[in-house]
Amino acid sequence: MSTSIPLYRRLAERLRNRITDGELAEGSSFPTEMEICATEGVSRHTAREALRILSEDGLIERRRGAGTVVVQRERSSFAQSIGDYDALLQYARDTQFEIEAVADAGLRELETFGLEGDYKRYSGVRRVPGQRPQAAVTVFIRTDLDPGISPGTSLSGSIADGLEESRKARIDRVTQRMEAVALCKTAARAIGAEQGSPALRTVRRYRDAEDRILLLSESFHPAGRFAYEMRLARA
Amino acid sequence: MSTSIPLYRRLAERLRNRITDGELAEGSSFPTEMEICATEGVSRHTAREALRILSEDGLIERRRGAGTVVVQRERSSFAQSIGDYDALLQYARDTQFEIEAVADAGLRELETFGLEGDYKRYSGVRRVPGQRPQAAVTVFIRTDLDPGISPGTSLSGSIADGLEESRKARIDRVTQRMEAVALCKTAARAIGAEQGSPALRTVRRYRDAEDRILLLSESFHPAGRFAYEMRLARA
DNA sequence: TAGTGGTCTAGACCACATG
DNA sequence: ATGTGGTCTAGACCACTAG
């Protein structure tokens, strides 16, 4: 085996492609577990693990006794998600990421964020040129994808943006987590806010189709300087 | 045989209790899979399913070769994955909106939120039954759509949910704004947090196809009790 | 009744972390 | 070197849905 990606993940990826390619139409008829076992030559457990992934991703729905169907999404969350992703990148294009430090990521940080492997850490602030910083930002990028930017550089756009253009890897999806926190000392100093004051913490994980994290960003937006707006259209 | 709840779920529940009861301390030492198999008399697959539940709930962390540890940080965040409108409603279904007061909305509040016309104001907290409040919530609903709920009622789901079912109006889209703020006195008292402590403020505006605001909700999630997760997939 | 997904067992090999 | 969690197989019984 030349690949270390588990069989059930590769199987999930093949099935996912059959959906997005349109071979498996929306609203009906997904192969049964036993069919997948037979055609793909895997055990039922492996087939089920793959189906679990697709189910958690919202691509299929399963009902005991009835069967599995491809979820109907007429222009729904998928189209909506694209807009969100673009909007996300748009924000990055409107501001500059001023890189203040670059280093190898430490073991503790990697563990904190659930990263496995080697990553480079870029830290700095994001701001509209001429204004005070909107956020303290830390970016972890897998070392083999490191663009090798020097400290002191101001990046118009995001590192994720450059990652796309380099074609070294393809970002398949992004998960984003937001919560309110009290600013830690480091972040507070970086953006000129008071330690302990409220901030919006945003962690984004950029993953490829095999669910590996290519890039991770953590931002602290102090209260009053940033609000996140999104629009949820109905399916 | 008396119960229809699967074994692995009951096992997960037992293990969860051992964590919350303090028998399994944070930071280290969770029974290994083989230990669970032996002491609980289950197969490894069943043990793993139970552990998967706890892992997805963020109670434990697993590392190959190293073992399993209890994480249960003080702030047991409740992560909500929201990618589209349906997922947003799902969160409301998992928690209860406990209504503490109902009144006509005042002119100043209407102005603050950009509302025009007559609205009813419902205020209270949202929580998973049996747990401490996750958020202080205020809902404004256009008076002609008022469901007429009495103070003291616990609503399983959201008012927006009921609005849909009443078929008196159709929600076409929702815009959502999120930012970090310091808790005001009123909200802080409602959820038992300290005034001035960090919170995530979320304002949602539910509009019909003519862009009129049918319903508006404002929530304050104190730091540590809630995280907002969304997934941005690409085509 | 036949077929589906849900649960559960027993066993195996592997990659990895730790001592 | 040992033990951990991660993957995978083969087989079984069950609850449920649908024709």
Side-chain angles (χ1 to χ4, degrees):
Chain A
M1 298 306 260
S2 58
T3 177
S4 63
I5 299 173
L7 178 56
Y8 71 91
R9 282 193 190 282
R10 282 177 281 142
L11 174 56
E13 194 51 31
R14 284 201 296 274
L15 293 172
R16 184 198 301 272
N17 289 335
R18 289 174 64 183
I19 294 175
T20 55
D21 289 352
E23 178 191 339
L24 296 172
E26 303 177 359
S28 70
S29 67
F30 198 84
T32 66
E33 292 179 354
M34 291 316 295
E35 285 173 352
I36 293 173
C37 293
T39 63
E40 303 284 347
V42 299
S43 74
R44 192 173 163 214
H45 175 70
T46 300
R48 280 179 65 80
E49 282 298 308
L51 290 171
R52 190 203 292 257
I53 290 178
L54 299 182
S55 181
E56 285 176 351
D57 283 0
L59 290 172
I60 60 175
E61 274 177 10
R62 321 199 67 202
R63 280 192 312 139
R64 164 161 46 184
T68 300
V69 299
V70 181
V71 168
Q72 194 101 22
R73 49 174 81 254
E74 49 214 84
R75 200 141 192 78
S76 66
S77 61
F78 232 55
Q80 179 62 33
S81 297
I82 299 168
D84 283 347
Y85 184 69
D86 286 341
L88 186 151
L89 291 180
Q90 187 55 50
Y91 162 61
R93 289 193 194 95
D94 291 341
T95 58
Q96 287 200 343
F97 180 26
E98 301 177 4
I99 298 169
E100 294 168 354
V102 185
D104 290 316
L107 280 179
R108 262 214 333 254
E109 340 180 76
L110 294 179
E111 200 171 330
T112 300
F113 290 111
L115 297 173
E116 293 177 1
D118 294 329
Y119 286 79
K120 282 280 182 186
R121 181 189 66 233
Y122 288 82
S123 51
V125 300
R126 184 170 285 284
R127 75 169 99 206
V128 176
Q131 299 184 12
R132 62 180 179 169
Q134 282 184 343
V137 178
T138 307
V139 172
F140 297 88
I141 187 165
R142 221 171 58 192
T143 301
D144 61 310
L145 304 171
D146 179 22
I149 303 171
S150 307
T153 305
S154 279
L155 204 59
S156 184
S158 73
I159 291 186
D161 225 358
L163 182 58
E164 285 282 85
E165 287 164 10
S166 77
R167 299 186 182 282
K168 279 196 287 190
R170 178 182 162 80
I171 298 169
D172 184 67
R173 59 188 179 283
V174 183
T175 57
Q176 171 168 290
R177 180 188 175 90
M178 291 191 294
E179 59 184 334
V181 298
L183 270 180
C184 64
K185 189 175 160 191
T186 312
R189 191 171 44 203
I191 50 186
E194 261 191 52
Q195 180 178 356
S197 64
L200 181 65
R201 175 177 183 258
T202 304
V203 178
R204 297 200 183 103
R205 291 176 168 83
Y206 298 73
R207 299 172 194 267
D208 66 10
E210 277 76 39
D211 213 40
R212 294 173 299 215
I213 298 176
L214 307 176
L215 188 148
L216 182 148
S217 74
E218 180 187 36
S219 308
F220 293 93
H221 293 91
R225 296 195 208 170
F226 180 80
Y228 191 88
E229 277 196 12
M230 64 186 300
R231 174 190 167 120
L232 307 170
R234 164 189 296 286
Chain B
M1 299 294 264
S2 60
T3 179
S4 64
I5 299 175
L7 178 57
Y8 70 92
R9 285 192 187 281
R10 281 177 282 143
L11 174 56
E13 198 49 33
R14 283 200 296 274
L15 293 171
R16 183 196 302 274
N17 289 336
R18 290 173 64 183
I19 294 175
T20 55
D21 289 353
E23 177 191 340
L24 297 171
E26 321 179 354
S28 69
S29 68
F30 198 84
T32 66
E33 292 179 356
M34 292 315 295
E35 285 172 353
I36 293 173
C37 292
T39 62
E40 303 284 346
V42 299
S43 74
R44 192 173 163 212
H45 175 70
T46 300
R48 280 180 64 81
E49 281 298 309
L51 290 171
R52 190 204 291 259
I53 290 177
L54 299 182
S55 182
E56 285 176 351
D57 285 359
L59 290 172
I60 60 174
E61 273 178 10
R62 322 199 66 202
R63 282 191 310 141
R64 164 161 45 184
T68 301
V69 299
V70 182
V71 293
Q72 201 199 8
R73 41 199 95 139
E74 208 69 21
R75 33 180 179 285
S76 57
S77 286
F78 179 83
Q80 182 56 41
S81 172
I82 296 182
D84 56 25
Y85 182 68
D86 284 339
L88 186 150
L89 290 181
Q90 187 56 49
Y91 162 59
R93 289 192 196 97
D94 291 341
T95 58
Q96 287 199 344
F97 180 26
E98 300 177 4
I99 297 169
E100 293 167 354
V102 185
D104 290 316
L107 280 178
R108 259 212 338 251
E109 342 180 74
L110 293 179
E111 198 171 332
T112 301
F113 290 111
L115 297 173
E116 294 176 2
D118 294 330
Y119 287 79
K120 282 278 183 188
R121 181 189 65 232
Y122 287 82
S123 52
V125 300
R126 184 168 284 283
R127 75 170 97 205
V128 176
Q131 298 185 12
R132 61 181 179 171
Q134 283 182 349
V137 178
T138 307
V139 173
F140 298 90
I141 187 166
R142 221 171 59 193
T143 301
D144 62 309
L145 304 170
D146 178 23
I149 303 171
S150 307
T153 306
S154 279
L155 204 60
S156 185
S158 73
I159 291 187
D161 223 358
L163 182 58
E164 285 282 86
E165 287 163 8
S166 77
R167 301 189 180 281
K168 281 196 286 190
R170 177 181 163 80
I171 298 168
D172 185 65
R173 62 187 179 285
V174 183
T175 57
Q176 170 168 289
R177 180 188 174 88
M178 291 190 295
E179 60 184 332
V181 297
L183 272 180
C184 64
K185 190 176 160 190
T186 313
R189 191 171 43 204
I191 51 187
E194 266 193 47
Q195 179 178 357
S197 64
L200 181 65
R201 176 177 183 258
T202 304
V203 177
R204 297 200 184 108
R205 292 177 167 83
Y206 299 72
R207 299 172 194 265
D208 65 12
E210 278 75 40
D211 211 40
R212 292 174 300 213
I213 298 177
L214 307 176
L215 187 148
L216 183 148
S217 74
E218 180 187 36
S219 306
F220 293 94
H221 293 93
R225 295 197 210 167
F226 183 82
Y228 193 87
E229 272 194 18
M230 70 187 68
R231 168 192 206 95
L232 310 172
R234 104 173 317 154

